Amino acid sequence: MYFFLVQHSIASGGVTGISIIISKWFSFLTVGQWSLILNIILFIVAFVFMGESFGKKSILSATIVSLGIMFFERVFPDTILTNDVIINVLFGAGIVSYSLSRIFFNDASSGGTDIIAAVLNKYFSITLAKCLFAIDFLVVMMAVTEFGIEKALYAVMTVIIQSVGFNYFIQGLGRKIAITVISDYSEEINKMLLSKYDRGVTLYKSEGGYSHKKRDIILTVVPFRRFPSIRDDILDIDKNAFVFTHTISEVYGEGFTYNVFE
């Protein structure tokens, strides 16, 4: 984020965007220092209005971001990786959206303007999406007055890419694949999945529409990375097996949110 957004004054919302603008108004402190000050203020707000547990979830990630920016400002003060604004927007937004998805996927908070949104949601019943949009919109409007309309439009583009990227990454982090198998060797395939891969298996009783032959249909859900080897093992047992898959965004239960056969 530092090399792609902060160094090029692309204020794409949030505390970092606000800090970029304030550092231009009051240049006696850097972007990282302003970010740390604002986050400290927001932490106090979180503890007062949202309670201790919410504040604890926010403090680590937001502090790391602020200290990280301060570190890069000291070590790489004049380093510019590229002056191509589109490249900066794409890489900056991509890194931010992936980082946020990792934070939220682990049930934490990024702090910053999320705290303001949470407070407004709690006390005024305004949805989080509307709050965050309003805050980012105000930051962009501030950027127009300080950096001009072109930089502000790039900031809007960054916000849009971050939003799309966040949704993509947050779904991808929890994404699994459901495998359905129809085979005359369902017992052998079932044993293979249970013993070799330690996965839960569900068996459906079925009857062929044409042959009226009765079989067990096998259903199992596994991480994406396991599918190629499982597919190969299924076909090793029955080269004529009918196998189809579909993607699942989230899975809760045995084998995923707690251990198999625990």
Side-chain angles (χ1 to χ4, degrees):
M1 179 175 67
Y2 172 76
F3 294 109
F4 299 109
L5 300 179
V6 175
Q7 284 287 68
H8 298 274
S9 300
I10 300 175
S12 58
V15 165
T16 303
I18 297 171
S19 300
I20 290 172
I21 295 168
I22 294 178
S23 68
K24 296 296 181 183
W25 295 345
F26 307 102
S27 57
F28 54 86
L29 293 178
T30 67
V31 174
Q33 291 167 337
W34 278 117
S35 175
L36 183 62
I37 291 170
L38 292 175
N39 275 316
I40 290 172
I41 295 171
L42 290 171
F43 291 148
I44 296 171
V45 171
F47 278 103
V48 171
F49 291 99
M50 299 301 296
E52 183 178 347
S53 62
F54 185 89
K56 285 181 177 179
K57 285 184 177 181
S58 307
I59 192 166
L60 180 61
S61 57
T63 302
I64 289 173
V65 171
S66 299
L67 294 178
I69 293 174
M70 292 170 63
F71 170 78
F72 285 118
E73 286 173 334
R74 179 174 292 274
V75 179
F76 306 103
D78 301 312
T79 302
I80 302 294
L81 297 183
T82 175
N83 287 310
D84 189 314
V85 183
I86 298 298
I87 291 177
N88 287 317
V89 167
L90 290 174
F91 276 87
I95 291 169
V96 170
S97 59
Y98 178 74
S99 302
L100 288 174
S101 69
R102 293 293 305 181
I103 291 169
F104 280 89
F105 186 74
N106 289 287
D107 197 29
S109 167
S110 62
T113 52
D114 291 348
I115 295 172
I116 301 174
V119 171
L120 293 174
N121 173 258
K122 180 178 179 179
Y123 291 96
F124 299 99
S125 299
I126 305 172
T127 64
L128 291 173
K130 288 181 179 179
C131 293
L132 291 171
F133 175 80
I135 293 167
D136 287 340
F137 179 79
L138 288 174
V139 174
V140 171
M141 289 300 100
M142 292 164 63
V144 170
T145 61
E146 182 61 32
F147 303 116
I149 187 67
E150 185 175 340
K151 278 286 181 69
L153 290 174
Y154 281 123
V156 171
M157 184 188 299
T158 306
V159 171
I160 294 171
I161 295 172
Q162 284 177 187
S163 177
V164 174
F166 175 80
N167 290 330
Y168 175 81
F169 287 126
I170 198 68
Q171 290 180 9
L173 289 170
R175 193 172 294 160
K176 302 293 184 293
I177 187 168
I179 307 171
T180 304
V181 185
I182 302 174
S183 169
D184 291 329
Y185 297 87
S186 57
E187 185 175 349
E188 291 85 345
I189 294 172
N190 179 40
K191 288 180 179 178
M192 178 270 293
L193 291 169
L194 291 171
S195 61
K196 182 175 181 178
Y197 294 98
D198 204 26
R199 306 312 305 174
V201 178
T202 299
L203 300 177
Y204 293 100
K205 299 297 181 182
S206 68
E207 181 179 342
Y210 178 77
S211 66
H212 296 286
K213 186 174 183 179
K214 290 179 170 52
R215 296 186 181 90
D216 286 332
I217 295 178
I218 297 170
L219 173 66
T220 187
V221 179
V222 301
F224 261 91
R225 66 181 183 277
R226 289 287 188 91
F227 173 65
S229 58
I230 290 175
R231 177 197 58 207
D232 292 341
D233 285 341
I234 291 171
L235 295 178
D236 284 342
I237 295 172
D238 181 7
K239 66 179 181 180
N240 295 316
F242 184 77
V243 182
F244 63 93
T245 66
H246 55 277
T247 301
I248 299 175
S249 295
E250 293 185 64
V251 182
Y252 298 95
E254 190 174 52
F256 296 94
T257 52
Y258 52 92
N259 292 332
V260 180
F261 310 133
E262 185 175 42

